[in-house]
Amino acid sequence: MSALSSLAQLQAAAAGVAQPLATVRHCQVSGAPLVLVPLKLAGEAAAPLAVMAGSAPDAPTLLVVPQPRNRDLRFGFAAALGRLVLNHIETSRGEVEQLPPGKEGDERIRYGDAPQLLVPNRGGVAFLRLMGRSTRFRSTEGPYAVDPAVPVLGRWLTWFAERFDHPGSSLLMAMTEALRLHWATGQSSLEDGNLAALMGWIDPPDGMDGPAAAARAEDPVLCPPAGPTTDPTFDNEVLAPAIAAYDRAGPGSRAEERLRDVLAGQLTPTWELMWRGVELLRALPEGASVPRRWERDRDAFTYYHQTFGEAYPQARRDPPVRAARRLHDLERAQDAYDAQRAFDDPLVMAEHRLAGAAFGGTVTECDPARLDETGKRPKLRPLLRVGTADPVRLDVGTTVCSAARPALKGRIVEIADGSVLLELTGGMGRKLTPEPGAVPAAGARVCFTSLSEGSFGAAKFPDREDTPWTHGGPPGEYTPTGEDAEEEWA
């Protein structure tokens, strides 16, 4: 936790209301996201109990497993959920965009939109991940055949869960994580995992402050848990008798209707909180880099959708080369995401200024027409002295860029008490005179940082066939030597 986040938490505790951690929204919020509020049976890792789903706050769909221990009912539930999710996927593609050919000259397309799934918390993400793992390998033929929508649902849920791990992706989002990215509360991070308590601090009901609303959220009767785990008292006193009554009466009975009403009562409060959270996020102005990250999400969705019929289900474990490539991609994405958030938001950049990775101040001296004539050709290298009160923990020679215009790059030449001398090296045009407005004038407020969207490039990984057998490749040809060679000869 940064010093600025800690200060915001202290201010929230003193004021009794959440404090902003961002001035813009750092995630995409679709016009019609698919909200999923799942519940599972206690003590059963992958036994679904119910889910409330829909793309409009006034039109939820309730799917229930009356007896979660019944395999047929569970996979019937998975088939119904699969049809709902797949319909959302197919209706969220938008118009097809034609893109310029790639490096190899191949034609490329991108869907104009992509599906977005919203769940209440990280537990909901883990439930979808586990459900995808338990359904994507199911057979649609044979003695234990399932509906064809079940393995398709499993593959898509696995893909969404993998995209959730990708920094900056908005295809699958946990509402608690999205809200915590933009507001700080006066409670612990563990308590922030409770959606009702978190919303109580951010948007308390009339006549209540954050602590009172959060305390009210701890009452499982007034604010049922957001799932996927249910309250133990509810399990023992309400759910267990309702399932037992269904077992005695059978499907289509009033006992089944009673069970549906009981589960709807548990899910409806969280459903309403989810849509309040969507409204809060939509009220924030969108960050400048959000559309670019959403483009990458749409690229990933387009590729997976186009190749879905040709690919096999995702493996239970990644082979070594794919695991290394995926880890490298996640590290690059995290590096770019941190920089983009800082460039978009002065509050986020303030955390880096406190940490010494950035500095802001006023230009005190400027030589915009300075040329470096030490090489064969003169180069435009303006000098800029920035007066700053920030703690600068960067070394001389470090490359930095402007937070307002990342293309404007420079190199630290000197660090003195209260000032930093910079030599600008890029982002001023290709002539020996800078473009108008490219070099900050004396008196201008500036901020420079060592953050960069591409601090390291893409690495090259070998094909599986070119790796040793210890990393998934074929075993090498055996050539006997020494005593083994003598035995082979004999």
Side-chain angles (χ1 to χ4, degrees), residues 107-438:
E107 294 185 359
R108 298 185 300 153
I109 63 170
R110 177 196 295 148
Y111 293 146
D113 205 353
Q116 184 179 55
L117 306 186
L118 301 181
V119 294
N121 46 40
R122 281 185 170 268
V125 175
F127 177 79
L128 295 186
R129 190 190 304 271
L130 186 58
M131 189 170 184
R133 180 180 176 183
S134 63
T135 56
R136 70 178 185 266
F137 296 111
R138 295 294 175 179
S139 175
T140 58
E141 300 176 353
Y144 299 104
V146 297
D147 189 280
V150 172
V152 176
L153 170 69
R155 292 172 62 183
W156 275 109
L157 291 183
T158 301
W159 181 80
F160 276 107
E162 289 179 349
R163 290 300 300 178
F164 177 80
D165 297 333
H166 198 277
S169 175
S170 298
L171 290 167
L172 172 61
M173 289 199 307
M175 183 58 68
T176 52
E177 300 301 308
L179 294 176
R180 289 170 59 181
L181 190 66
H182 299 86
W183 285 276
T185 68
Q187 59 187 7
S188 68
S189 58
L190 181 63
E191 292 169 314
D192 282 343
N194 183 337
L195 180 59
L198 182 60
M199 287 293 298
W201 278 92
I202 298 174
D203 186 24
D206 294 338
M208 300 182 70
D209 60 1
R216 179 180 179 273
E218 297 295 332
D219 188 338
V221 177
L222 298 177
C223 298
T229 305
T230 51
D231 178 65
T233 302
F234 167 77
D235 292 341
N236 295 329
E237 299 181 2
V238 180
L239 182 61
I243 293 179
Y246 167 80
D247 290 338
R248 292 190 299 268
S253 61
R254 298 192 63 181
E256 183 177 6
E257 295 181 5
R258 167 62 180 164
L259 179 59
R260 290 180 61 87
D261 292 341
V262 164
L263 293 173
Q266 290 288 298
L267 292 168
T268 300
T270 302
W271 174 263
E272 295 172 351
L273 287 174
M274 290 289 290
W275 287 104
R276 282 173 57 195
V278 169
E279 292 175 0
L280 288 173
L281 291 174
R282 283 177 176 164
L284 294 174
E286 186 177 70
S289 62
V290 172
R292 282 185 290 155
R293 291 198 294 272
W294 187 240
E295 280 186 1
R296 286 195 286 273
D297 279 339
R298 290 191 285 132
D299 284 331
F301 168 63
T302 303
Y303 176 79
Y304 189 70
H305 187 273
Q306 291 286 316
T307 60
F308 187 88
E310 306 170 3
Y312 292 103
Q314 298 92 332
R316 288 185 173 89
R317 294 180 180 85
D318 287 337
V321 174
R322 185 178 186 275
R325 183 181 291 111
R326 184 169 185 268
L327 178 60
H328 177 70
D329 291 342
L330 293 179
E331 289 174 343
R332 293 186 66 211
Q334 184 67 62
D335 186 67
Y337 181 51
D338 291 341
Q340 289 168 359
R341 288 185 60 229
F343 293 150
D344 290 351
D345 196 332
L347 268 182
V348 179
M349 181 60 77
E351 295 185 2
H352 297 283
R353 291 174 63 179
L354 287 173
F359 59 91
T362 304
V363 177
T364 57
E365 299 176 18
C366 179
D367 185 1
R370 174 180 175 268
L371 298 178
D372 181 3
E373 300 182 356
T374 58
K376 294 182 179 180
R377 295 182 179 180
K379 300 177 182 178
L380 179 64
R381 292 293 184 266
L383 286 179
L384 209 67
R385 185 173 292 276
V386 180
T388 179
D390 294 344
V392 182
R393 297 185 176 91
L394 301 174
D395 298 328
V396 172
T398 302
T399 299
V400 295
C401 66
S402 169
R405 192 161 59 88
L408 182 63
K409 299 184 182 299
R411 182 178 61 87
I412 297 179
V413 177
E414 177 185 288
I415 300 177
D417 292 338
S419 69
V420 179
L421 181 63
L422 297 175
E423 181 186 58
L424 301 184
T425 58
M428 300 163 291
R430 298 185 178 182
K431 301 178 181 179
L432 293 181
T433 56
E435 298 289 339

